[in-house]
Amino acid sequence: QVRLVESGGGLVQAGGSLTLNCAASGKIFSIMTMAWYRQAPGKQRELVATMGRYGSPDYADSVKGRFTISRDDADNTVSLQMHSLKPEDTAVYYCYADRVMTQPSWTYTNDIWGQGTQVTVSS
């Protein structure tokens, strides 16, 4: 069974930086898509950044130029570097993986979510 575990959340002052990490565990052969979402109270969960196995990263307009997503398929991790943080970035950040090929079934598992990590940006 595939699990995603986030780490790196916390409290940071506006203008500061924070890096989130996510590790996928299980008998994983490959992951097609890895992404970061976030959800603030009273708002829908939104895509922050995504990166395909072969493709280019993509970002929400609100974080372009400030956030950077990266992935390391050698250990099935994805990170999100966040700079110039704003109070409106405050949310629970979720790691996401899709089209995960696992062994020994050699089938895809879709829509896997981590439990989330809280990011709070103070003003």
Side-chain angles (χ1 to χ4, degrees):
Q1 190 173 66
V2 179
R3 294 181 179 179
L4 302 177
V5 179
E6 302 97 335
S7 62
L11 176 65
V12 64
Q13 293 184 356
S17 299
L18 203 62
T19 298
L20 305 181
N21 298 289
C22 173
S25 62
K27 296 187 181 298
I28 298 169
F29 180 79
S30 64
I31 302 173
M32 180 60 67
T33 302
M34 301 194 78
W36 287 95
Y37 287 75
R38 68 184 181 187
Q39 187 168 21
K43 299 182 66 177
Q44 289 187 311
R45 188 172 299 185
E46 64 174 345
L47 178 65
V48 177
T50 184
M51 180 176 286
R53 186 180 183 186
Y54 311 106
S56 302
D58 199 10
Y59 301 91
D61 288 342
S62 60
V63 307
K64 285 182 179 178
R66 299 189 297 120
F67 291 11
T68 301
I69 187 172
S70 61
R71 60 184 286 175
D72 185 353
D73 291 337
D75 57 5
N76 295 312
T77 59
V78 62
S79 65
L80 184 69
Q81 294 180 317
M82 304 182 293
H83 301 287
S84 301
L85 283 162
K86 305 174 182 179
E88 48 264 47
D89 294 318
T90 296
V92 177
Y93 284 71
Y94 296 91
C95 183
Y96 170 85
D98 189 43
R99 300 285 285 179
V100 181
M101 177 71 79
T102 58
Q103 304 173 32
S105 64
W106 298 103
T107 58
Y108 287 116
T109 301
N110 301 320
D111 298 329
I112 302 171
W113 294 91
Q115 65 180 357
T117 185
Q118 177 71 48
V119 173
T120 302
V121 184
S122 63
S123 60

